[in-house]
Amino acid sequence: MALSDPLNMLASPLTIIERSYEPHDIEAVVSLIDRWQVGLIIVGLPRTMNGSVGQQAEKVNTFVRELSGHTNVPVEFRDERLTTVSARRLMQSARTKKTRQKTRDDAVAAALILQGYLDETYREQGVNS
């Protein structure tokens, strides 16, 4: 997971929620939403390389539908293709253990997804202002 700064200009990695049991996973996400007073949830949608919605994206959609039943915070999807690859490249020099690698890569990937959304929104606002 990642959060933006109060001005919605910079995304930073926050934490990783290790998937275990969906009700617990939902509770953990909702707890973070409440704690950080999240106003919008950006979810990476893992599309296939040709842009279609595959099996993993369907799992994400199912999880988001369940999450939406536990919070009133709106959700928007972002294409997350290649964000983990980008995160790995950014984190290559900081690696120590394989387990920590995945955790860091996922947190940085979440920040990259959010940063892409923030950058796009900022550009749109600049053009429309």
Side-chain angles (χ1 to χ4, degrees), residues 77-119:
F77 290 97
R78 292 275 307 167
D79 185 349
E80 72 167 32
R81 283 178 285 182
L82 302 178
T83 55
T84 300
V85 172
S86 297
R88 285 184 184 138
R89 288 182 182 147
L90 286 172
M91 295 302 295
Q92 258 179 344
S93 62
R95 296 216 164 102
T96 58
K97 293 182 180 177
K98 189 169 187 158
T99 304
R100 292 184 72 192
Q101 273 181 303
K102 179 176 179 2
T103 300
R104 287 183 183 156
D105 290 347
D106 288 348
V108 172
L112 289 172
I113 292 166
L114 179 55
Q115 189 65 54
Y117 173 83
L118 295 173
D119 291 347

Side-chain angles (χ1 to χ4, degrees), residues 5-77:
D5 66 317
L7 297 176
N8 293 327
M9 296 183 74
L10 182 64
S12 299
L14 176 64
T15 190
I16 299 294
I17 297 174
E18 294 293 336
R19 298 289 309 264
S20 60
Y21 174 62
E22 189 166 288
H24 294 154
D25 301 340
I26 297 285
E27 184 179 318
V29 173
V30 170
S31 175
L32 288 169
I33 289 168
D34 293 343
R35 178 179 177 196
W36 293 99
Q37 301 175 342
V38 172
L40 177 65
I41 301 166
I42 306 300
V43 175
L45 190 62
R47 293 186 175 274
T48 63
M49 289 309 289
N50 70 8
S52 64
V53 175
Q55 185 177 8
Q56 193 59 35
E58 286 298 332
K59 289 179 183 179
V60 170
N61 281 325
T62 299
F63 183 82
V64 168
R65 278 193 298 275
E66 184 65 28
L67 175 63
S68 294
H70 292 83
T71 182
N72 292 324
V73 177
V75 176
E76 289 189 27
F77 290 97

